[in-house]
Amino acid sequence: MGSAVELAKNIMGEFKHLVIVKFKEDVVVEGILKDLEKMVAEIDAVKSFEWGQDLESPEMLRQGFTHAFLTTFDKKEDYTVFVGHPKHQEFSATFSTVLEKIVLLDFPATLVKPPPKAPAEEPPATLNDQK
């Protein structure tokens, strides 16, 4: 078990918005992705945003879904600001018209394995170090 501080961070940690979609046939996905990237870049409540297209999963497992979008917020309140933001509402209205299927999951994240820390840089050598 972790310390009380670690447990509190897990409970009060980041909030995630996961969207998994299957676009309708004949949709120009690149244009939608550009608009999506522009929208999240313009909303300060978004901590980070990433997306990907499935290239590996067998069809019977992915069930036609092709793209996943993950938006991260510092806290749930930031997610609430994001959802109510006019740019998000405008984008969502358009986005919903190009989708055949969608799954949304909104959840507080529990960090199990943090990313590795960057190695500490050694200070530059000085003349005294060379003696």
Side-chain angles (χ1 to χ4, degrees):
M1 288 295 255
S3 71
V5 172
E6 290 171 323
L7 291 174
K9 276 188 173 181
N10 283 343
I11 293 168
M12 302 301 290
E14 295 176 334
F15 196 83
K16 306 281 185 172
H17 174 60
L18 175 64
V19 180
I20 305 168
V21 303
K22 176 183 181 184
F23 289 100
K24 291 179 181 175
E25 298 234 4
D26 301 326
V27 169
V28 180
V29 175
E30 293 76 20
I32 301 293
L33 296 174
K34 264 186 152 170
D35 291 346
L36 178 57
E37 290 174 358
K38 182 176 187 269
M39 183 263 304
V40 296
E42 293 175 351
I43 300 176
D44 292 337
V46 173
K47 179 178 183 178
S48 66
F49 174 75
E50 53 197 297
W51 70 268
Q53 180 176 356
D54 182 75
L55 300 175
E56 301 293 326
S57 301
E59 176 55 35
M60 70 177 215
L61 295 178
R62 76 174 160 138
Q63 300 177 32
F65 292 98
T66 57
H67 291 75
F69 308 95
L70 181 62
T71 310
T72 301
F73 305 90
D74 281 325
K75 56 191 180 290
K76 185 178 180 184
E77 292 79 10
D78 291 343
Y79 165 73
T80 303
V81 168
F82 171 75
V83 170
H85 196 284
K87 289 182 188 272
H88 176 263
Q89 291 181 348
E90 179 183 337
F91 178 82
S92 293
T94 302
F95 191 59
S96 63
T97 66
V98 298
L99 302 178
E100 186 173 318
K101 297 194 313 187
I102 185 169
V103 173
L104 292 173
L105 296 173
D106 300 308
F107 55 95
T110 300
L111 182 61
V112 176
K113 182 179 179 182
K117 293 182 180 177
E121 290 187 29
E122 292 191 25
T126 64
L127 291 177
N128 290 336
D129 292 339
Q130 297 175 4
K131 289 183 182 175

